[in-house]
């Protein structure tokens, strides 16, 4: 398997624009996690899914953020409208079941100007 | 609420020295603890996974220990090399209430040639 695949790797957008980040988890993994990493706050869990169902979205900072997982092989994280303070690296991770390791994608570096 | 703390935030040591990185967590109800390495601008690479029933795991020059009752883990690096310079993150996977993976803020390690 190619691992967790995220796209795009880099995204530069203007404030107010919609941004969509994409993630393809490892085939057969039941869990999918979205994280945001900043220097100040480190890695923050935004939302996670189990079998395509959102389990906990308490980390989503505002209503401007939304995430979907329409099937087991694809998830999106959308920010609408984007703001400069959303600039960060966004990581997606997947894992098979609750007591096994998590595998991370390479991240999407988002810059909102 | 699970909190994960890594001390120190940064560490510089001469090449060849053995060193220990520390991780502490507040809630002992965990499935496992995972150590990651992150190079600047890159994703997370899993180094070691310790299940809650285990005391330690080894991979090459790396040894990770877990004392669940006291909420502590250490990552021991033997005979450090300049290539070990990176940020090291620990993460715990919660159990009972949810399967969240909670990260510490990391220790930035610099090995001096």
């Amino acid at each position: 398997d190619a691992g967790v695949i995220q796209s795009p790797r880099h995204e530069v957008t203007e404030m107010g624009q919609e941004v969509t980040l994409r993630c393809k988890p490892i085939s057969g993994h039941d869990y999918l996690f979205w994280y945001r990493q900043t220097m100040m706050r480190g890695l923050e869990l935004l939302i996670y899914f189990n079998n395509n169902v959102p389990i906990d979205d308490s980390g989503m900072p505002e209503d401007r953020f939304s995430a979907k997982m329409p099937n087991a092989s694809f998830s999106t994280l959308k920010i609408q409208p984007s703001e400069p303070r959303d600039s960060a690296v966004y990581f997606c991770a997947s894992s098979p079941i609750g007591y096994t390791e998590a595998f991370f994608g390479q991240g999407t570096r988002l810059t909102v100007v | 609420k699970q909190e994960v703390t890594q001390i120190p935030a940064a560490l510089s040591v001469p090449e060849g020295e053995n060193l220990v990185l520390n991780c502490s967590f507040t809630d002992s109800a965990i499935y496992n603890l995972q150590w990651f390495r992150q190079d600047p601008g890159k994703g997370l690479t899993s180094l070691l996974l310790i299940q809650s029933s285990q005391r330690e795991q080894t991979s090459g020059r790396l040894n990770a220990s877990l004392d669940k009752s006291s909420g502590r883990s250490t990552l021991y690096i033997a005979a450090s090399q300049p290539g070990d310079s990176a940020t090291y993150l620990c993460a715990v996977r919660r159990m009972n209430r949810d399967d969240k993976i909670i990260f510490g803020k990391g220790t930035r390690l610099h090995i001096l040639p």
Side-chain angles (χ1 to χ4, degrees):
Chain A
D1 202 312
V4 177
I5 300 173
Q6 292 186 245
S7 64
R9 292 293 307 278
H10 303 273
E11 177 80 37
V12 180
T13 190
E14 292 185 348
M15 182 174 63
Q17 296 297 307
E18 177 180 296
V19 175
T20 299
L21 311 182
R22 296 173 175 80
C23 175
K24 177 177 169 30
I26 295 173
S27 177
H29 283 194
D30 297 323
Y31 288 84
L32 184 139
F33 302 84
W34 281 101
Y35 287 86
R36 177 172 68 176
Q37 186 177 39
T38 61
M39 287 292 293
M40 289 297 295
R41 300 173 70 91
L43 271 160
E44 302 173 279
L45 178 63
L46 301 177
I47 184 172
Y48 78 99
F49 296 82
N50 182 10
N51 291 321
N52 312 337
V53 176
I55 303 301
D56 190 326
D57 65 355
S58 60
M60 297 285 260
E62 300 171 36
D63 291 344
R64 298 183 296 106
F65 287 70
S66 63
K68 293 182 180 179
M69 193 164 185
N71 56 63
S73 59
F74 184 65
S75 177
T76 59
L77 178 67
K78 186 177 295 187
I79 308 172
Q80 166 62 21
S82 57
E83 296 183 4
R85 59 195 168 117
D86 301 331
S87 297
V89 181
Y90 291 81
F91 286 101
C92 174
S94 70
S95 77
I97 50 177
Y99 47 88
T100 55
E101 65 184 304
F103 297 84
F104 278 72
Q106 289 300 299
T108 295
R109 183 173 297 276
L110 174 64
T111 303
V112 183
V113 299
Chain B
K1 177 185 176 184
Q2 178 72 274
E3 294 183 359
V4 181
T5 303
Q6 292 187 248
I7 295 174
L11 181 65
S12 293
V13 299
E15 179 180 2
E17 283 198 4
N18 303 325
L19 60 99
V20 174
L21 306 181
N22 296 295
C23 172
S24 61
F25 48 96
T26 55
D27 186 349
S28 62
I30 63 171
Y31 279 124
N32 57 50
L33 184 145
Q34 197 167 354
W35 282 94
F36 293 87
R37 169 185 172 138
Q38 185 176 30
D39 293 289
K42 303 294 185 182
L44 279 70
T45 301
S46 179
L47 297 173
L48 289 164
L49 173 76
I50 311 178
Q51 301 292 357
S52 61
S53 59
Q54 297 175 322
R55 297 284 293 181
E56 64 178 298
Q57 283 286 333
T58 298
S59 176
R61 295 182 295 109
L62 305 180
N63 177 276
S65 68
L66 174 64
D67 184 342
K68 198 174 68 165
S69 61
S70 68
R72 293 179 184 176
S73 176
T74 61
L75 179 66
Y76 174 84
I77 303 177
S80 59
Q81 303 171 356
D84 295 331
S85 297
T87 296
Y88 291 80
L89 296 146
C90 75
V92 297
R93 188 141 194 189
R94 287 169 30 149
M95 65 186 300
N96 295 341
R97 292 172 60 180
D98 58 50
D99 291 334
K100 287 183 178 179
I101 300 174
I102 308 297
F103 278 84
K105 286 188 165 52
T107 294
R108 193 168 58 255
L109 177 64
H110 184 208
I111 306 299
L112 305 167

